[in-house]
Amino acid sequence: MNKEEFNKLNIFGLGKENTEYSKYFVGTSYLNPLAKTTNMSLANVTFEPGCKNNWHIHHATNGGGQILICVAGSGWYQEYGKDKVSLEPGMVITIPANVKHWHGAKDDSWFSHIAVEVPGENTSTEWLEKVEE
């Protein structure tokens, strides 16, 4: 799927290049913030083909974690020590707090998901090493 076709399906929009977090991604990602409150944020994250983020953990002492709502294209999600999961539009992935994981686009497809930061206590994100193939 080329970028023009993908953008027609990516109903929440590409947004701007995600330069603030680019050091935690292999490839280019884009961020389109959708909503933010004092304890929760919602953003459409788009990955160019082959782009993925580093391993990371959403820490919390209570509550927390992340929800991914797949919007367009095809991607991958993997928890540390488990097999990769293929992501397609309409899928929802619930990531508990304190679970090491990564997500991104397949090599031959753009991919977009809405990232929901789940409210919790003492939340933070720890960015870790790049994903090895």
Side-chain angles (χ1 to χ4, degrees), residues 1-11 13-18 25-31 44-52 70-76 86-89 103-113:
M1 177 182 313
N2 67 38
K3 188 175 180 180
E4 184 178 325
E5 293 169 350
F6 174 80
N7 282 332
K8 290 177 186 175
L9 301 174
N10 189 13
I11 61 174
L14 188 65
K16 295 183 179 179
E17 189 171 332
N18 191 7
F25 286 74
V26 173
T28 303
S29 68
Y30 300 84
L31 185 63
N44 189 41
V45 182
T46 299
F47 303 78
E48 71 177 2
C51 175
K52 56 185 162 267
C70 303
V71 176
S74 295
W76 293 111
S86 179
L87 300 178
E88 301 298 331
H103 32 103
K106 292 184 178 176
D107 288 341
D108 62 351
S109 179
W110 286 80
F111 176 64
S112 183
H113 64 56

mmCIF file of all heavy atoms in Angstrom, residues 1-11 13-18 25-31 44-52 70-76 86-89 103-113:
data_model
loop_
_atom_site.group_PDB
_atom_site.id
_atom_site.type_symbol
_atom_site.label_atom_id
_atom_site.label_comp_id
_atom_site.label_asym_id
_atom_site.label_seq_id
_atom_site.Cartn_x
_atom_site.Cartn_y
_atom_site.Cartn_z
ATOM 1 N N MET A 1 0.850 -1.175 0.000
ATOM 2 C CA MET A 1 0.000 0.000 0.000
ATOM 3 C C MET A 1 0.896 1.239 0.000
ATOM 4 O O MET A 1 1.772 1.365 0.851
ATOM 5 C CB MET A 1 -0.889 -0.019 1.248
ATOM 6 C CG MET A 1 -1.767 1.183 1.384
ATOM 7 S SD MET A 1 -2.806 1.236 2.868
ATOM 8 C CE MET A 1 -3.520 -0.376 2.919
ATOM 9 N N ASN A 2 0.667 2.120 -0.944
ATOM 10 C CA ASN A 2 1.471 3.337 -0.982
ATOM 11 C C ASN A 2 0.905 4.384 -0.021
ATOM 12 O O ASN A 2 -0.189 4.230 0.522
ATOM 13 C CB ASN A 2 1.600 3.876 -2.415
ATOM 14 C CG ASN A 2 0.283 4.377 -2.983
ATOM 15 O OD1 ASN A 2 -0.531 4.982 -2.290
ATOM 16 N ND2 ASN A 2 0.072 4.136 -4.269
ATOM 17 N N LYS A 3 1.656 5.450 0.178
ATOM 18 C CA LYS A 3 1.287 6.471 1.161
ATOM 19 C C LYS A 3 -0.035 7.148 0.811
ATOM 20 O O LYS A 3 -0.853 7.413 1.699
ATOM 21 C CB LYS A 3 2.407 7.501 1.282
ATOM 22 C CG LYS A 3 2.212 8.483 2.403
ATOM 23 C CD LYS A 3 3.421 9.392 2.552
ATOM 24 C CE LYS A 3 3.235 10.375 3.677
ATOM 25 N NZ LYS A 3 4.413 11.252 3.814
ATOM 26 N N GLU A 4 -0.285 7.414 -0.463
ATOM 27 C CA GLU A 4 -1.526 8.082 -0.877
ATOM 28 C C GLU A 4 -2.745 7.217 -0.560
ATOM 29 O O GLU A 4 -3.735 7.705 -0.007
ATOM 30 C CB GLU A 4 -1.479 8.403 -2.369
ATOM 31 C CG GLU A 4 -2.695 9.180 -2.851
ATOM 32 C CD GLU A 4 -2.599 9.533 -4.332
ATOM 33 O OE1 GLU A 4 -1.484 9.803 -4.807
ATOM 34 O OE2 GLU A 4 -3.652 9.528 -4.986
ATOM 35 N N GLU A 5 -2.682 5.926 -0.879
ATOM 36 C CA GLU A 5 -3.788 5.004 -0.564
ATOM 37 C C GLU A 5 -3.983 4.896 0.943
ATOM 38 O O GLU A 5 -5.108 4.894 1.441
ATOM 39 C CB GLU A 5 -3.501 3.616 -1.149
ATOM 40 C CG GLU A 5 -3.510 3.567 -2.654
ATOM 41 C CD GLU A 5 -2.962 2.240 -3.185
ATOM 42 O OE1 GLU A 5 -2.406 1.451 -2.398
ATOM 43 O OE2 GLU A 5 -3.088 2.013 -4.393
ATOM 44 N N PHE A 6 -2.869 4.782 1.669
ATOM 45 C CA PHE A 6 -2.932 4.670 3.123
ATOM 46 C C PHE A 6 -3.603 5.887 3.743
ATOM 47 O O PHE A 6 -4.459 5.762 4.627
ATOM 48 C CB PHE A 6 -1.529 4.480 3.701
ATOM 49 C CG PHE A 6 -1.510 4.504 5.197
ATOM 50 C CD1 PHE A 6 -1.879 3.388 5.927
ATOM 51 C CD2 PHE A 6 -1.144 5.652 5.886
ATOM 52 C CE1 PHE A 6 -1.890 3.414 7.312
ATOM 53 C CE2 PHE A 6 -1.142 5.683 7.268
ATOM 54 C CZ PHE A 6 -1.512 4.558 7.985
ATOM 55 N N ASN A 7 -3.233 7.081 3.298
ATOM 56 C CA ASN A 7 -3.791 8.304 3.876
ATOM 57 C C ASN A 7 -5.307 8.397 3.699
ATOM 58 O O ASN A 7 -5.985 9.005 4.524
ATOM 59 C CB ASN A 7 -3.097 9.540 3.298
ATOM 60 C CG ASN A 7 -1.743 9.778 3.933
ATOM 61 O OD1 ASN A 7 -1.507 9.403 5.080
ATOM 62 N ND2 ASN A 7 -0.852 10.398 3.192
ATOM 63 N N LYS A 8 -5.841 7.781 2.649
ATOM 64 C CA LYS A 8 -7.294 7.750 2.467
ATOM 65 C C LYS A 8 -7.969 6.904 3.539
ATOM 66 O O LYS A 8 -9.097 7.172 3.940
ATOM 67 C CB LYS A 8 -7.650 7.213 1.080
ATOM 68 C CG LYS A 8 -7.302 8.159 -0.047
ATOM 69 C CD LYS A 8 -7.616 7.539 -1.388
ATOM 70 C CE LYS A 8 -7.140 8.420 -2.532
ATOM 71 N NZ LYS A 8 -7.324 7.780 -3.832
ATOM 72 N N LEU A 9 -7.279 5.872 4.021
ATOM 73 C CA LEU A 9 -7.823 4.972 5.042
ATOM 74 C C LEU A 9 -7.549 5.448 6.466
ATOM 75 O O LEU A 9 -8.258 5.082 7.394
ATOM 76 C CB LEU A 9 -7.232 3.563 4.869
ATOM 77 C CG LEU A 9 -7.486 2.889 3.534
ATOM 78 C CD1 LEU A 9 -6.710 1.576 3.451
ATOM 79 C CD2 LEU A 9 -8.969 2.643 3.326
ATOM 80 N N ASN A 10 -6.528 6.248 6.626
ATOM 81 C CA ASN A 10 -6.086 6.713 7.942
ATOM 82 C C ASN A 10 -6.966 7.892 8.372
ATOM 83 O O ASN A 10 -6.557 9.047 8.305
ATOM 84 C CB ASN A 10 -4.605 7.097 7.881
ATOM 85 C CG ASN A 10 -4.013 7.377 9.237
ATOM 86 O OD1 ASN A 10 -4.598 7.074 10.270
ATOM 87 N ND2 ASN A 10 -2.824 7.961 9.235
ATOM 88 N N ILE A 11 -8.175 7.587 8.836
ATOM 89 C CA ILE A 11 -9.207 8.606 9.053
ATOM 90 C C ILE A 11 -8.869 9.634 10.129
ATOM 91 O O ILE A 11 -9.446 10.712 10.149
ATOM 92 C CB ILE A 11 -10.575 7.965 9.343
ATOM 93 C CG1 ILE A 11 -10.520 7.111 10.608
ATOM 94 C CG2 ILE A 11 -11.056 7.154 8.156
ATOM 95 C CD1 ILE A 11 -11.867 6.568 11.048
ATOM 96 N N GLY A 13 -5.845 10.974 10.472
ATOM 97 C CA GLY A 13 -4.819 11.865 9.936
ATOM 98 C C GLY A 13 -3.394 11.549 10.343
ATOM 99 O O GLY A 13 -3.138 11.009 11.410
ATOM 100 N N LEU A 14 -2.485 11.897 9.466
ATOM 101 C CA LEU A 14 -1.066 11.616 9.643
ATOM 102 C C LEU A 14 -0.439 12.431 10.776
ATOM 103 O O LEU A 14 0.380 11.921 11.528
ATOM 104 C CB LEU A 14 -0.328 11.909 8.328
ATOM 105 C CG LEU A 14 1.118 11.504 8.235
ATOM 106 C CD1 LEU A 14 1.262 9.997 8.310
ATOM 107 C CD2 LEU A 14 1.720 12.020 6.932
ATOM 108 N N GLY A 15 -0.809 13.664 10.908
ATOM 109 C CA GLY A 15 -0.179 14.516 11.913
ATOM 110 C C GLY A 15 1.191 14.976 11.464
ATOM 111 O O GLY A 15 1.498 15.001 10.275
ATOM 112 N N LYS A 16 2.028 15.305 12.435
ATOM 113 C CA LYS A 16 3.367 15.813 12.144
ATOM 114 C C LYS A 16 4.415 14.752 12.461
ATOM 115 O O LYS A 16 4.183 13.867 13.296
ATOM 116 C CB LYS A 16 3.650 17.058 12.982
ATOM 117 C CG LYS A 16 2.749 18.209 12.616
ATOM 118 C CD LYS A 16 3.092 19.454 13.391
ATOM 119 C CE LYS A 16 2.157 20.572 12.941
ATOM 120 N NZ LYS A 16 2.377 21.805 13.630
ATOM 121 N N GLU A 17 5.571 14.877 11.809
ATOM 122 C CA GLU A 17 6.652 13.936 12.086
ATOM 123 C C GLU A 17 6.957 13.959 13.587
ATOM 124 O O GLU A 17 7.035 15.013 14.208
ATOM 125 C CB GLU A 17 7.895 14.296 11.275
ATOM 126 C CG GLU A 17 8.952 13.225 11.358
ATOM 127 C CD GLU A 17 10.110 13.441 10.403
ATOM 128 O OE1 GLU A 17 9.911 14.061 9.334
ATOM 129 O OE2 GLU A 17 11.218 12.987 10.741
ATOM 130 N N ASN A 18 7.124 12.782 14.142
ATOM 131 C CA ASN A 18 7.286 12.582 15.578
ATOM 132 C C ASN A 18 8.754 12.794 15.981
ATOM 133 O O ASN A 18 9.415 11.879 16.454
ATOM 134 C CB ASN A 18 6.804 11.174 15.931
ATOM 135 C CG ASN A 18 6.677 10.945 17.412
ATOM 136 O OD1 ASN A 18 6.822 11.845 18.214
ATOM 137 N ND2 ASN A 18 6.407 9.701 17.770
ATOM 138 N N PHE A 25 12.625 5.361 17.951
ATOM 139 C CA PHE A 25 12.034 4.678 16.805
ATOM 140 C C PHE A 25 13.113 4.363 15.776
ATOM 141 O O PHE A 25 14.050 5.135 15.593
ATOM 142 C CB PHE A 25 10.982 5.571 16.125
ATOM 143 C CG PHE A 25 9.690 5.695 16.880
ATOM 144 C CD1 PHE A 25 9.608 6.478 18.024
ATOM 145 C CD2 PHE A 25 8.548 5.045 16.436
ATOM 146 C CE1 PHE A 25 8.410 6.609 18.717
ATOM 147 C CE2 PHE A 25 7.353 5.169 17.122
ATOM 148 C CZ PHE A 25 7.283 5.948 18.262
ATOM 149 N N VAL A 26 12.945 3.235 15.090
ATOM 150 C CA VAL A 26 13.733 2.926 13.898
ATOM 151 C C VAL A 26 12.810 3.234 12.737
ATOM 152 O O VAL A 26 11.751 2.608 12.604
ATOM 153 C CB VAL A 26 14.179 1.444 13.887
ATOM 154 C CG1 VAL A 26 14.836 1.103 12.567
ATOM 155 C CG2 VAL A 26 15.107 1.163 15.054
ATOM 156 N N GLY A 27 13.149 4.227 11.919
ATOM 157 C CA GLY A 27 12.268 4.690 10.856
ATOM 158 C C GLY A 27 11.525 5.934 11.301
ATOM 159 O O GLY A 27 11.735 6.454 12.405
ATOM 160 N N THR A 28 10.631 6.404 10.439
ATOM 161 C CA THR A 28 9.901 7.643 10.709
ATOM 162 C C THR A 28 8.485 7.346 11.177
ATOM 163 O O THR A 28 7.784 6.534 10.588
ATOM 164 C CB THR A 28 9.859 8.521 9.436
ATOM 165 O OG1 THR A 28 11.207 8.769 9.022
ATOM 166 C CG2 THR A 28 9.161 9.837 9.695
ATOM 167 N N SER A 29 8.094 8.035 12.243
ATOM 168 C CA SER A 29 6.723 7.945 12.742
ATOM 169 C C SER A 29 6.122 9.340 12.767
ATOM 170 O O SER A 29 6.838 10.344 12.708
ATOM 171 C CB SER A 29 6.683 7.319 14.141
ATOM 172 O OG SER A 29 7.281 8.180 15.095
ATOM 173 N N TYR A 30 4.803 9.383 12.849
ATOM 174 C CA TYR A 30 4.060 10.641 12.847
ATOM 175 C C TYR A 30 3.081 10.620 14.009
ATOM 176 O O TYR A 30 2.562 9.563 14.378
ATOM 177 C CB TYR A 30 3.301 10.807 11.523
ATOM 178 C CG TYR A 30 4.223 10.812 10.328
ATOM 179 C CD1 TYR A 30 4.643 9.623 9.748
ATOM 180 C CD2 TYR A 30 4.695 12.012 9.798
ATOM 181 C CE1 TYR A 30 5.510 9.624 8.667
ATOM 182 C CE2 TYR A 30 5.558 12.016 8.714
ATOM 183 C CZ TYR A 30 5.964 10.814 8.157
ATOM 184 O OH TYR A 30 6.824 10.822 7.097
ATOM 185 N N LEU A 31 2.802 11.784 14.563
ATOM 186 C CA LEU A 31 1.944 11.877 15.734
ATOM 187 C C LEU A 31 0.855 12.920 15.492
ATOM 188 O O LEU A 31 1.145 14.057 15.123
ATOM 189 C CB LEU A 31 2.786 12.280 16.950
ATOM 190 C CG LEU A 31 2.089 12.309 18.296
ATOM 191 C CD1 LEU A 31 1.606 10.910 18.687
ATOM 192 C CD2 LEU A 31 3.051 12.839 19.359
ATOM 193 N N ASN A 44 -3.210 9.573 17.474
ATOM 194 C CA ASN A 44 -3.044 8.675 16.339
ATOM 195 C C ASN A 44 -1.551 8.653 15.998
ATOM 196 O O ASN A 44 -0.957 9.692 15.715
ATOM 197 C CB ASN A 44 -3.861 9.154 15.145
ATOM 198 C CG ASN A 44 -3.891 8.127 14.036
ATOM 199 O OD1 ASN A 44 -4.012 6.942 14.288
ATOM 200 N ND2 ASN A 44 -3.789 8.581 12.804
ATOM 201 N N VAL A 45 -0.957 7.463 16.054
ATOM 202 C CA VAL A 45 0.457 7.289 15.748
ATOM 203 C C VAL A 45 0.545 6.526 14.431
ATOM 204 O O VAL A 45 -0.073 5.467 14.283
ATOM 205 C CB VAL A 45 1.196 6.517 16.857
ATOM 206 C CG1 VAL A 45 2.678 6.404 16.537
ATOM 207 C CG2 VAL A 45 0.977 7.185 18.211
ATOM 208 N N THR A 46 1.301 7.069 13.483
ATOM 209 C CA THR A 46 1.457 6.440 12.177
ATOM 210 C C THR A 46 2.925 6.084 11.971
ATOM 211 O O THR A 46 3.812 6.879 12.293
ATOM 212 C CB THR A 46 0.976 7.383 11.056
ATOM 213 O OG1 THR A 46 -0.417 7.668 11.271
ATOM 214 C CG2 THR A 46 1.148 6.750 9.692
ATOM 215 N N PHE A 47 3.158 4.883 11.450
ATOM 216 C CA PHE A 47 4.497 4.365 11.199
ATOM 217 C C PHE A 47 4.672 4.155 9.702
ATOM 218 O O PHE A 47 3.816 3.544 9.056
ATOM 219 C CB PHE A 47 4.672 2.995 11.870
ATOM 220 C CG PHE A 47 4.423 2.969 13.354
ATOM 221 C CD1 PHE A 47 3.136 2.969 13.872
ATOM 222 C CD2 PHE A 47 5.490 2.901 14.242
ATOM 223 C CE1 PHE A 47 2.904 2.903 15.241
ATOM 224 C CE2 PHE A 47 5.270 2.840 15.614
ATOM 225 C CZ PHE A 47 3.981 2.842 16.117
ATOM 226 N N GLU A 48 5.792 4.638 9.136
ATOM 227 C CA GLU A 48 6.094 4.316 7.744
ATOM 228 C C GLU A 48 6.440 2.824 7.672
ATOM 229 O O GLU A 48 6.711 2.196 8.709
ATOM 230 C CB GLU A 48 7.259 5.171 7.232
ATOM 231 C CG GLU A 48 8.603 4.804 7.833
ATOM 232 C CD GLU A 48 9.759 5.614 7.277
ATOM 233 O OE1 GLU A 48 9.554 6.506 6.441
ATOM 234 O OE2 GLU A 48 10.894 5.340 7.711
ATOM 235 N N PRO A 49 6.421 2.221 6.474
ATOM 236 C CA PRO A 49 6.750 0.800 6.371
ATOM 237 C C PRO A 49 8.083 0.473 7.049
ATOM 238 O O PRO A 49 9.082 1.174 6.874
ATOM 239 C CB PRO A 49 6.823 0.561 4.858
ATOM 240 C CG PRO A 49 5.863 1.565 4.296
ATOM 241 C CD PRO A 49 6.052 2.779 5.162
ATOM 242 N N GLY A 50 8.057 -0.568 7.888
ATOM 243 C CA GLY A 50 9.249 -1.029 8.590
ATOM 244 C C GLY A 50 9.593 -0.258 9.845
ATOM 245 O O GLY A 50 10.480 -0.660 10.597
ATOM 246 N N CYS A 51 8.908 0.841 10.129
ATOM 247 C CA CYS A 51 9.186 1.637 11.328
ATOM 248 C C CYS A 51 8.636 0.922 12.559
ATOM 249 O O CYS A 51 7.528 0.366 12.538
ATOM 250 C CB CYS A 51 8.547 3.018 11.195
ATOM 251 S SG CYS A 51 8.709 4.048 12.673
ATOM 252 N N LYS A 52 9.411 0.939 13.617
ATOM 253 C CA LYS A 52 8.941 0.385 14.891
ATOM 254 C C LYS A 52 9.577 1.150 16.034
ATOM 255 O O LYS A 52 10.632 1.755 15.878
ATOM 256 C CB LYS A 52 9.251 -1.098 14.987
ATOM 257 C CG LYS A 52 10.694 -1.469 14.818
ATOM 258 C CD LYS A 52 10.843 -2.980 14.810
ATOM 259 C CE LYS A 52 12.152 -3.414 14.230
ATOM 260 N NZ LYS A 52 12.145 -3.699 12.821
ATOM 261 N N CYS A 70 -6.153 -0.282 16.456
ATOM 262 C CA CYS A 70 -5.582 -0.309 15.113
ATOM 263 C C CYS A 70 -6.553 0.332 14.124
ATOM 264 O O CYS A 70 -7.737 -0.024 14.086
ATOM 265 C CB CYS A 70 -5.259 -1.738 14.708
ATOM 266 S SG CYS A 70 -4.140 -2.545 15.879
ATOM 267 N N VAL A 71 -6.039 1.271 13.320
ATOM 268 C CA VAL A 71 -6.877 2.093 12.460
ATOM 269 C C VAL A 71 -6.694 1.771 10.974
ATOM 270 O O VAL A 71 -7.669 1.633 10.247
ATOM 271 C CB VAL A 71 -6.580 3.594 12.711
ATOM 272 C CG1 VAL A 71 -7.362 4.474 11.766
ATOM 273 C CG2 VAL A 71 -6.865 3.957 14.157
ATOM 274 N N ALA A 72 -5.453 1.666 10.513
ATOM 275 C CA ALA A 72 -5.205 1.488 9.074
ATOM 276 C C ALA A 72 -3.869 0.789 8.874
ATOM 277 O O ALA A 72 -2.948 0.935 9.677
ATOM 278 C CB ALA A 72 -5.208 2.833 8.356
ATOM 279 N N GLY A 73 -3.757 0.031 7.782
ATOM 280 C CA GLY A 73 -2.515 -0.647 7.450
ATOM 281 C C GLY A 73 -2.310 -1.899 8.275
ATOM 282 O O GLY A 73 -3.231 -2.405 8.913
ATOM 283 N N SER A 74 -1.072 -2.407 8.273
ATOM 284 C CA SER A 74 -0.730 -3.644 8.983
ATOM 285 C C SER A 74 0.509 -3.429 9.831
ATOM 286 O O SER A 74 1.483 -2.823 9.381
ATOM 287 C CB SER A 74 -0.451 -4.778 7.995
ATOM 288 O OG SER A 74 -1.614 -5.109 7.278
ATOM 289 N N GLY A 75 0.458 -3.954 11.045
ATOM 290 C CA GLY A 75 1.587 -3.780 11.955
ATOM 291 C C GLY A 75 1.860 -5.008 12.790
ATOM 292 O O GLY A 75 1.282 -6.084 12.582
ATOM 293 N N TRP A 76 2.763 -4.820 13.739
ATOM 294 C CA TRP A 76 3.155 -5.866 14.688
ATOM 295 C C TRP A 76 3.097 -5.334 16.109
ATOM 296 O O TRP A 76 3.344 -4.150 16.351
ATOM 297 C CB TRP A 76 4.592 -6.324 14.438
ATOM 298 C CG TRP A 76 4.846 -7.036 13.163
ATOM 299 C CD1 TRP A 76 5.583 -6.565 12.102
ATOM 300 C CD2 TRP A 76 4.411 -8.339 12.795
ATOM 301 N NE1 TRP A 76 5.627 -7.508 11.105
ATOM 302 C CE2 TRP A 76 4.911 -8.609 11.509
ATOM 303 C CE3 TRP A 76 3.632 -9.313 13.430
ATOM 304 C CZ2 TRP A 76 4.671 -9.803 10.842
ATOM 305 C CZ3 TRP A 76 3.393 -10.502 12.765
ATOM 306 C CH2 TRP A 76 3.907 -10.742 11.494
ATOM 307 N N SER A 86 0.178 -10.113 14.745
ATOM 308 C CA SER A 86 -0.134 -9.311 13.565
ATOM 309 C C SER A 86 -1.285 -8.369 13.888
ATOM 310 O O SER A 86 -2.301 -8.795 14.450
ATOM 311 C CB SER A 86 -0.510 -10.237 12.402
ATOM 312 O OG SER A 86 -0.831 -9.488 11.250
ATOM 313 N N LEU A 87 -1.131 -7.104 13.535
ATOM 314 C CA LEU A 87 -2.156 -6.090 13.815
ATOM 315 C C LEU A 87 -2.826 -5.642 12.523
ATOM 316 O O LEU A 87 -2.150 -5.329 11.547
ATOM 317 C CB LEU A 87 -1.519 -4.879 14.497
ATOM 318 C CG LEU A 87 -0.818 -5.138 15.820
ATOM 319 C CD1 LEU A 87 -0.189 -3.853 16.342
ATOM 320 C CD2 LEU A 87 -1.775 -5.725 16.841
ATOM 321 N N GLU A 88 -4.155 -5.586 12.556
ATOM 322 C CA GLU A 88 -4.960 -5.164 11.410
ATOM 323 C C GLU A 88 -6.031 -4.198 11.896
ATOM 324 O O GLU A 88 -6.385 -4.200 13.083
ATOM 325 C CB GLU A 88 -5.614 -6.382 10.744
ATOM 326 C CG GLU A 88 -4.633 -7.438 10.238
ATOM 327 C CD GLU A 88 -3.683 -6.955 9.157
ATOM 328 O OE1 GLU A 88 -4.060 -6.038 8.388
ATOM 329 O OE2 GLU A 88 -2.553 -7.470 9.076
ATOM 330 N N PRO A 89 -6.586 -3.368 11.006
ATOM 331 C CA PRO A 89 -7.615 -2.409 11.410
ATOM 332 C C PRO A 89 -8.767 -3.077 12.174
ATOM 333 O O PRO A 89 -9.212 -4.171 11.812
ATOM 334 C CB PRO A 89 -8.108 -1.833 10.083
ATOM 335 C CG PRO A 89 -6.925 -1.949 9.176
ATOM 336 C CD PRO A 89 -6.268 -3.253 9.574
ATOM 337 N N HIS A 103 5.849 -2.002 19.252
ATOM 338 C CA HIS A 103 4.867 -2.071 18.173
ATOM 339 C C HIS A 103 5.342 -1.232 17.006
ATOM 340 O O HIS A 103 6.169 -0.332 17.171
ATOM 341 C CB HIS A 103 3.446 -1.660 18.617
ATOM 342 C CG HIS A 103 3.387 -0.617 19.684
ATOM 343 N ND1 HIS A 103 3.091 0.699 19.443
ATOM 344 C CD2 HIS A 103 3.588 -0.705 21.019
ATOM 345 C CE1 HIS A 103 3.089 1.375 20.575
ATOM 346 N NE2 HIS A 103 3.407 0.553 21.550
ATOM 347 N N GLY A 104 4.837 -1.538 15.816
ATOM 348 C CA GLY A 104 5.234 -0.803 14.635
ATOM 349 C C GLY A 104 4.641 -1.389 13.377
ATOM 350 O O GLY A 104 3.796 -2.287 13.428
ATOM 351 N N ALA A 105 5.085 -0.876 12.229
ATOM 352 C CA ALA A 105 4.544 -1.278 10.923
ATOM 353 C C ALA A 105 5.273 -2.512 10.390
ATOM 354 O O ALA A 105 6.456 -2.720 10.654
ATOM 355 C CB ALA A 105 4.694 -0.132 9.923
ATOM 356 N N LYS A 106 4.552 -3.282 9.605
ATOM 357 C CA LYS A 106 5.189 -4.360 8.856
ATOM 358 C C LYS A 106 6.076 -3.733 7.789
ATOM 359 O O LYS A 106 5.898 -2.568 7.425
ATOM 360 C CB LYS A 106 4.133 -5.271 8.235
ATOM 361 C CG LYS A 106 3.371 -6.054 9.292
ATOM 362 C CD LYS A 106 2.391 -7.020 8.676
ATOM 363 C CE LYS A 106 1.701 -7.803 9.792
ATOM 364 N NZ LYS A 106 0.657 -8.699 9.270
ATOM 365 N N ASP A 107 7.025 -4.505 7.280
ATOM 366 C CA ASP A 107 7.986 -3.973 6.310
ATOM 367 C C ASP A 107 7.340 -3.478 5.025
ATOM 368 O O ASP A 107 7.872 -2.585 4.372
ATOM 369 C CB ASP A 107 9.034 -5.037 5.964
ATOM 370 C CG ASP A 107 9.996 -5.285 7.117
ATOM 371 O OD1 ASP A 107 10.094 -4.423 8.026
ATOM 372 O OD2 ASP A 107 10.653 -6.337 7.107
ATOM 373 N N ASP A 108 6.181 -4.037 4.668
ATOM 374 C CA ASP A 108 5.552 -3.703 3.383
ATOM 375 C C ASP A 108 4.281 -2.871 3.524
ATOM 376 O O ASP A 108 3.495 -2.786 2.597
ATOM 377 C CB ASP A 108 5.261 -4.986 2.602
ATOM 378 C CG ASP A 108 4.275 -5.898 3.325
ATOM 379 O OD1 ASP A 108 3.943 -5.638 4.512
ATOM 380 O OD2 ASP A 108 3.835 -6.878 2.708
ATOM 381 N N SER A 109 4.065 -2.261 4.697
ATOM 382 C CA SER A 109 2.813 -1.529 4.897
ATOM 383 C C SER A 109 3.001 -0.336 5.828
ATOM 384 O O SER A 109 3.748 -0.411 6.800
ATOM 385 C CB SER A 109 1.756 -2.450 5.504
ATOM 386 O OG SER A 109 0.540 -1.760 5.725
ATOM 387 N N TRP A 110 2.311 0.746 5.537
ATOM 388 C CA TRP A 110 2.119 1.807 6.509
ATOM 389 C C TRP A 110 1.218 1.248 7.593
ATOM 390 O O TRP A 110 0.466 0.291 7.364
ATOM 391 C CB TRP A 110 1.464 3.015 5.852
ATOM 392 C CG TRP A 110 2.399 3.793 4.976
ATOM 393 C CD1 TRP A 110 2.766 3.485 3.700
ATOM 394 C CD2 TRP A 110 3.093 4.979 5.327
ATOM 395 N NE1 TRP A 110 3.646 4.415 3.224
ATOM 396 C CE2 TRP A 110 3.865 5.352 4.210
ATOM 397 C CE3 TRP A 110 3.139 5.773 6.476
ATOM 398 C CZ2 TRP A 110 4.676 6.479 4.207
ATOM 399 C CZ3 TRP A 110 3.938 6.900 6.466
ATOM 400 C CH2 TRP A 110 4.694 7.242 5.348
ATOM 401 N N PHE A 111 1.259 1.841 8.787
ATOM 402 C CA PHE A 111 0.420 1.364 9.887
ATOM 403 C C PHE A 111 0.079 2.527 10.806
ATOM 404 O O PHE A 111 0.917 3.385 11.079
ATOM 405 C CB PHE A 111 1.142 0.277 10.691
ATOM 406 C CG PHE A 111 0.377 -0.201 11.886
ATOM 407 C CD1 PHE A 111 -0.841 -0.852 11.721
ATOM 408 C CD2 PHE A 111 0.847 0.011 13.162
ATOM 409 C CE1 PHE A 111 -1.568 -1.295 12.823
ATOM 410 C CE2 PHE A 111 0.130 -0.428 14.272
ATOM 411 C CZ PHE A 111 -1.080 -1.081 14.101
ATOM 412 N N SER A 112 -1.160 2.541 11.282
ATOM 413 C CA SER A 112 -1.610 3.583 12.192
ATOM 414 C C SER A 112 -2.445 2.977 13.310
ATOM 415 O O SER A 112 -3.262 2.083 13.068
ATOM 416 C CB SER A 112 -2.442 4.604 11.413
ATOM 417 O OG SER A 112 -2.840 5.660 12.244
ATOM 418 N N HIS A 113 -2.211 3.458 14.533
ATOM 419 C CA HIS A 113 -3.055 3.070 15.665
ATOM 420 C C HIS A 113 -3.292 4.282 16.549
ATOM 421 O O HIS A 113 -2.492 5.216 16.569
ATOM 422 C CB HIS A 113 -2.461 1.911 16.471
ATOM 423 C CG HIS A 113 -1.154 2.201 17.161
ATOM 424 N ND1 HIS A 113 -0.967 3.240 18.048
ATOM 425 C CD2 HIS A 113 0.041 1.572 17.092
ATOM 426 C CE1 HIS A 113 0.268 3.231 18.509
ATOM 427 N NE2 HIS A 113 0.908 2.228 17.924
#
